[in-house]
């Protein structure tokens, strides 16, 4: 089935450790996005990518990094510089011209930093 | 700062009541507008969208929204809610390839 796969679903890490969240899509979508969802804060944009080998910072990019080496993959690294990394992370993708902006979401990854 | 504002954080209604959830945005120029819904334990999914044309758009499950350009608003409505509409609702705006979400409105329908 076509869709977006995020892994792991749950992740626990110690403070000071970097962690990488995986996001893979087989929808052949051009654009991919990472959001962070916190209670009462809605979804806040971390990074997004419209095309392979290119990505832009969102509103809360500090302490995060991404890569887009393949169309179907957009991993997010939460670095030790991120001051409050415990959160629910959502990956999304969107198709190309004419349907842009209609996001398809993964199930999310819940990161807890101990 | 550019933003998307949802006026109500938590709404409680009885079944068959009418619903209106407010959404305002502060971007100028052309925008695309969306409402997404997150049912308990499920993915976020698209409820409806506005790109251009008729400012009154209809979505799934009897929802509709009206784009009022002069008011920078895109309010979500449903004439008669059901218990199954219990969910969190997010307004979103696309501008220059960025898709920005509001903080969400948690809707609780009493049976």
């Amino acid at each position: 089935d076509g869709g977006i796969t995020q892994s792991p679903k749950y992740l626990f890490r110690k403070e000071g450790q970097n962690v990488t969240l995986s996001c893979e899509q087989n929808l052949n979508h051009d654009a991919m996005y990472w959001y962070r969802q916190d209670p009462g804060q809605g979804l806040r944009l971390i990074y997004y990518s419209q095309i392979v080998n290119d990505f832009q910072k969102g509103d809360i990019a500090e302490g995060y990094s991404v890569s887009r080496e393949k169309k179907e993959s957009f991993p997010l690294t939460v670095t030790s510089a991120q001051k409050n990394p415990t959160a629910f992370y959502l990956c999304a993708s969107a198709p190309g011209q004419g349907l842009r902006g209609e996001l398809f979401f993964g199930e999310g990854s819940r990161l807890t930093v101990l | 700062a550019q933003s998307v504002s949802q006026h109500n954080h938590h709404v409680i209604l009885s079944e068959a009541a009418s619903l209106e959830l407010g959404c305002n945005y502060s971007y100028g120029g052309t925008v695309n507008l969306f409402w997404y819904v997150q049912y308990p334990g499920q993915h976020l999914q698209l409820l409806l969208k506005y790109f251009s044309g008729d400012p009154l758009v209809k979505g799934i499950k009897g929802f509709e929204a009206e784009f009022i350009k002069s008011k920078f608003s895109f309010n979500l409505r449903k004439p008669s809610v059901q218990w199954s509409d219990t969910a969190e609702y997010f307004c979103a705006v696309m501008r220059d390839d960025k898709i920005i979400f509001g903080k969400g409105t948690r809707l609780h329908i009493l049976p």
Side-chain angles (χ1 to χ4, degrees):
Chain A
D1 286 352
I4 300 176
T5 303
Q6 289 187 240
S7 62
K9 197 168 182 178
Y10 299 95
L11 186 60
F12 295 87
R13 278 293 181 268
K14 292 182 179 179
E15 266 192 45
Q17 289 181 330
N18 290 358
V19 59
T20 297
L21 307 179
S22 169
C23 178
E24 304 278 329
Q25 56 103 354
N26 60 5
L27 300 168
N28 199 32
H29 286 173
D30 293 315
M32 296 187 76
Y33 300 79
W34 273 106
Y35 290 89
R36 171 182 170 140
Q37 186 176 16
D38 296 282
Q41 296 290 321
L43 279 72
R44 291 182 289 169
L45 182 62
I46 305 173
Y47 269 97
Y48 61 108
S49 168
Q50 296 295 320
I51 196 169
V52 174
N53 292 324
D54 189 39
F55 48 82
Q56 285 77 42
K57 291 182 179 180
D59 297 323
I60 56 164
E62 187 176 347
Y64 298 99
S65 65
V66 292
S67 62
R68 187 85 188 275
E69 296 176 2
K70 299 186 294 182
K71 187 176 183 178
E72 58 270 24
S73 178
F74 191 41
L76 173 75
T77 296
V78 185
T79 76
S80 57
Q82 167 50 232
K83 289 182 172 48
N84 186 19
T86 294
F88 188 57
Y89 291 88
L90 282 167
C91 180
S93 67
Q97 299 294 336
L99 288 171
R100 295 175 80 190
E102 184 173 345
L103 294 172
F104 293 76
F105 284 89
E107 289 187 336
S109 293
R110 188 168 297 279
L111 172 63
T112 302
V113 175
L114 305 170
Chain B
Q2 297 175 330
S3 67
V4 180
S5 299
Q6 292 184 239
H7 313 303
N8 313 101
H9 298 298
H10 197 181
V11 173
I12 302 173
L13 294 172
S14 297
E15 273 193 311
S18 65
L19 170 72
E20 181 160 4
L21 302 182
C23 174
N24 286 90
Y25 61 94
S26 62
Y27 300 86
T30 303
V31 292
N32 296 333
L33 299 158
F34 308 84
W35 276 96
Y36 282 83
V37 60
Q38 189 171 33
Y39 297 104
Q42 294 188 27
H43 293 201
L44 267 157
Q45 58 185 281
L46 182 70
L47 200 54
L48 48 77
K49 62 188 177 189
Y50 172 80
F51 283 1
S52 63
D54 188 345
L56 184 63
V57 291
K58 295 194 184 297
I60 60 172
K61 304 188 181 185
F63 286 91
E64 64 179 31
E66 185 175 13
F67 170 51
I68 303 179
K69 190 174 182 179
S70 60
K71 295 185 178 180
F72 295 88
S73 71
F74 191 55
N75 292 355
L76 181 70
R77 300 195 293 245
K78 186 169 182 178
S80 177
V81 294
Q82 300 172 306
W83 178 78
S84 58
D85 294 324
T86 294
E88 192 161 14
Y89 294 81
F90 296 92
C91 181
V93 174
M94 180 179 182
R95 176 71 192 272
D96 298 333
D97 296 334
K98 288 176 69 171
I99 302 171
I100 305 300
F101 285 78
K103 291 187 176 182
T105 297
R106 200 173 287 275
L107 175 65
H108 187 73
I109 305 300
L110 301 173

